[in-house]
Amino acid sequence: MRENIHVGHRHQKLAKSLLSSKLAKTWVTVKICISLFFIFLLGESRFQVISVFPRNINKNATTTTKIPKTIIKIPLNCTPLNNNKTTQTCPSNYPTKLEPAITTSEACPDYFRWIHRDLEVWQKIGITRETLEKAKPNAHFRVVIKSGKLYVHKYKKAFQTRDVFTIWGILQLLRMYPGQIPDLELLFLCDDKPAIWKRDFKNGTWPPPPLFRYCGHRDAYDIVFPDWSFWGWPELNIKEWNKLSVALQEGNKRVKWEDRIPYAYWKGNPRVSPIRGDLMRCNFSEEYDPMVRLYAQDWRGESKKGFKGSNLEDQCTHRYKIYIEGKAWSVSEKYILSCDSMTLLVKPQYYDFFIRSMVPMKHYWPIRPRKKCGDLKFAVEWGNNNTEKAQVIGRQGSEYMMKNLDMKYVYDYMLYTLQGYGKLMKLDVTVPENATEVCSETIACPITDGGLIRQCMDDSLVISPSVKAACNLHKPYGDNEIKMILKERQNAERKVMKWTDEYWNLRSGK
Ligand SMILES: *[C@@H]1O[C@H](CO)[C@@H](O)[C@H](O)[C@H]1NC(C)=O
Ligand SMILES: *[C@@H]1O[C@H](CO)[C@@H](O)[C@H](O)[C@H]1NC(C)=O
Ligand SMILES: *[C@@H]1O[C@H](CO)[C@@H](O)[C@H](O)[C@H]1NC(C)=O
Ligand SMILES: *[C@@H]1O[C@H](CO)[C@@H](O)[C@H](O)[C@H]1NC(C)=O
Ligand SMILES: *[C@@H]1O[C@H](CO)[C@@H](O)[C@H](O)[C@H]1NC(C)=O
Ligand SMILES: *[C@@H]1O[C@H](CO)[C@@H](O)[C@H](O)[C@H]1NC(C)=O
């Protein structure tokens, strides 16, 4: 029930913030309709099963818009505790196939157009058993999806609960779009850094093994997939994304942009990478005010204090926020970009699935890694001299996140990635000997300590199949389009670089 209150609320809020934009009006109408639909459902809250979709979906009807007569709500079905030693079983009442009743003409966000490129290397030959198994030494676990059921074979322990929440996420996808995920086997690596480097697969070893991961790199073949934190990062008190993105949006309203501290803010763990340690040196200059406020986050200390000082939604208090990579990409990226202060993005080497379509000077201000201190000071001064423009960049970055990173799109991205990947399977999908079937129940039900892990799961549980179909996938980027995108990005970066260098040359009297 909570889920729906939540969804309705969220869409209303999104709608409000977008009303000013003419372009968004039709989209808003659609969202409002959906909100009303959910509100309508709330009226009948006494029943678990509010109503039921027609069992046999007429294939011909899938292309037309049909408001569902009925909708099912299937909460977690935990075996009662007093049942001694009975193991939790996976329920059989969740529908195995359901076509969403509402088809849309809504286009997917642009970042979906990279999916094809991530899978391109296997397009010609497909993925054979031999190709897949080469990825096994790197993987933390194997996921097998067969007839809509999910099996896991764990190889190594992953850091914290990364693997648990990644698998949880895929399980929610199965609940969201039952019957739409093809049979497949995939291997997942939960580390920060890529493992399948291009340089290692030049000749005889073609094609490279497919390995799923949270971020990609220009020189690697790893397949990019949403990270665990969309479903929660309980160890750091970070809520799942549905709840948190709403809180972050609320947080934006707390302090008006003009009233925010006119400095660039960063708080994080500086010890995870040299570039972060380097950033900390921007804190000080004898000659000028460096215009930054940098704080080392001590997660262990925070954890002891109950995370009082690290609430993400309270961190939008400065006009500028810095994003800088950790060991590889950092989960903090989406939280930083969600704040509508202008993001100063230290040019990253690693990319997650959504950053690839973000544009410098539209969504963020680019910072050169090697000249970050000077670049940061210039950016902040520029922003304080051009407050309107800085606010626009901040707002556009934040809107990109709120709109394009709605949880529905995250699932849509996963759906299309797995559908594309599934098509490449040139092997008999088999459940390995020691794999176990897992479902939301087997993961969540045994966790009864009242802690944040279970809370994140309860909050992110998908309780109904989506009534709305996945967004429409654009055709993949062609080579020329990619070139254009990269060229535009480079031009924007060069422009900023030129301004910055001119400013510093003038100051140093060159
Ligand atoms: C779909 O439509 C075609 C022709 O319009 C019809 O022959 C067929 O029986 C329909 N299929 C179903 C499942 O209703
Ligand atoms: C649980 O098991 C214990 C010992 O095995 C037994 O004494 C008890 O009656 C059982 N309780 C229930 C509810 O089955
Ligand atoms: C690829 O081939 C070149 C020579 O053609 C050889 O020097 C190199 O070691 C090979 N690389 C791999 C990874 O096999
Ligand atoms: C950076 O400067 C701020 C303000 O002067 C200070 O509070 C903070 O502790 C400094 N950070 C580091 C890592 O020295
Ligand atoms: C901001 O304005 C001040 C005062 O006009 C000027 O000295 C400074 O160079 C400007 N800085 C930037 C980065 O535009
Ligand atoms: C399954 O587990 C058993 C016992 O731990 C082990 O002997 C066997 O090799 C495993 N099979 C596979 C395919 O890993």
Side-chain angles (χ1 to χ4, degrees), residues 9 21 28 36 76 93 96 103 110 113 121 165 186 191 211 220 241 257 274 288 290 420 468 472:
H9 193 51
S21 150
V28 165
L36 290 176
L76 276 189
N93 65 338
T96 52
T103 55
D110 271 350
R113 301 179 70 188
V121 280
F165 278 97
L186 64 84
D191 287 345
L211 183 64
W241 180 240
W257 196 91
Y288 55 82
K468 216 174 142 193
N472 285 324

Side-chain angles (χ1 to χ4, degrees), residues 111-387:
Y111 64 77
F112 280 62
R113 301 179 70 188
W114 295 91
I115 292 175
H116 182 81
R117 288 195 83 86
D118 281 354
L119 300 173
E120 201 169 28
V121 280
W122 301 282
Q123 221 65 257
K124 262 197 204 127
I125 344 178
I127 296 166
T128 61
R129 171 69 54 198
E130 192 198 351
T131 304
L132 178 73
E133 297 304 328
K134 276 189 292 181
K136 190 177 160 188
N138 290 306
H140 282 96
F141 60 85
R142 179 191 304 253
V143 160
V144 178
I145 296 175
K146 199 163 183 187
S147 309
K149 289 189 172 155
L150 189 145
Y151 306 83
V152 174
H153 193 186
K154 217 168 144 172
Y155 302 123
K156 293 185 268 198
K157 185 167 171 2
F159 184 58
Q160 294 178 337
T161 46
R162 286 181 180 195
D163 52 347
V164 176
F165 278 97
T166 301
I167 292 163
W168 176 263
I170 301 173
L171 286 168
Q172 302 322 303
L173 174 69
L174 288 165
R175 287 172 75 100
M176 181 105 172
Y177 293 119
Q180 296 198 50
I181 293 100
D183 287 359
L184 56 85
E185 284 185 42
L186 64 84
L187 290 157
F188 211 107
L189 170 69
C190 302
D191 287 345
D192 286 352
K193 291 211 172 179
I196 313 297
W197 294 101
K198 289 186 180 176
R199 58 170 185 262
D200 298 332
F201 296 94
K202 289 258 159 70
N203 9 4
T205 41
W206 196 258
L211 183 64
F212 280 73
R213 249 174 36 77
Y214 305 124
C215 73
H217 188 282
R218 198 181 37 182
D219 300 325
Y221 287 123
D222 304 59
I223 302 168
V224 186
F225 206 66
D227 70 72
W228 72 94
S229 68
F230 284 95
W231 297 275
W233 191 355
E235 290 85 356
L236 296 193
N237 200 34
I238 292 176
K239 295 182 209 104
E240 54 87 40
W241 180 240
N242 253 329
K243 242 184 177 175
L244 185 50
S245 60
V246 172
L248 290 169
Q249 239 180 328
E250 287 296 306
N252 283 346
K253 294 185 201 134
R254 241 171 257 172
V255 189
K256 276 199 347 216
W257 196 91
E258 296 83 6
D259 300 335
R260 292 182 193 163
I261 302 158
Y263 282 85
Y265 173 90
W266 184 80
K267 186 173 186 178
N269 182 354
R271 281 186 301 271
V272 297
S273 64
I275 192 174
R276 282 190 173 184
D278 215 30
L279 172 72
M280 297 316 269
R281 277 191 262 150
C282 300
N283 216 18
F284 178 77
S285 162
E286 278 186 338
E287 290 141 53
Y288 55 82
D289 181 354
M291 306 303 274
V292 294
R293 293 285 183 261
L294 310 170
Y295 305 97
Q297 174 82 283
D298 166 20
W299 283 114
R300 241 176 240 159
E302 288 286 349
S303 165
K304 281 195 197 116
K305 284 185 276 173
F307 298 99
K308 286 212 177 65
S310 58
N311 237 346
L312 289 167
E313 52 268 39
D314 297 335
Q315 295 191 5
C316 203
T317 49
H318 294 62
R319 288 184 184 175
Y320 315 94
K321 294 187 67 174
I322 300 166
Y323 170 74
I324 187 160
E325 289 184 326
K327 271 194 200 108
W329 109 109
S330 162
V331 163
S332 65
E333 187 180 59
K334 60 180 172 301
Y335 310 129
I336 289 170
L337 284 160
S338 295
C339 163
D340 64 0
S341 298
M342 182 167 88
T343 299
L344 311 179
L345 192 97
V346 182
K347 195 182 167 82
Q349 286 190 56
Y350 302 89
Y351 50 80
D352 54 29
F353 69 102
F354 63 83
I355 188 95
R356 282 185 279 189
S357 291
M358 296 190 86
V359 180
M361 295 314 278
K362 184 174 176 197
H363 302 120
Y364 62 86
W365 180 286
I367 300 288
R368 288 169 290 184
R370 285 212 193 87
K371 297 192 168 178
K372 43 187 166 322
C373 299
D375 282 12
L376 288 170
K377 175 179 165 59
F378 175 77
V380 173
E381 243 190 74
W382 181 92
N384 289 339
N385 284 357
N386 302 273
T387 52

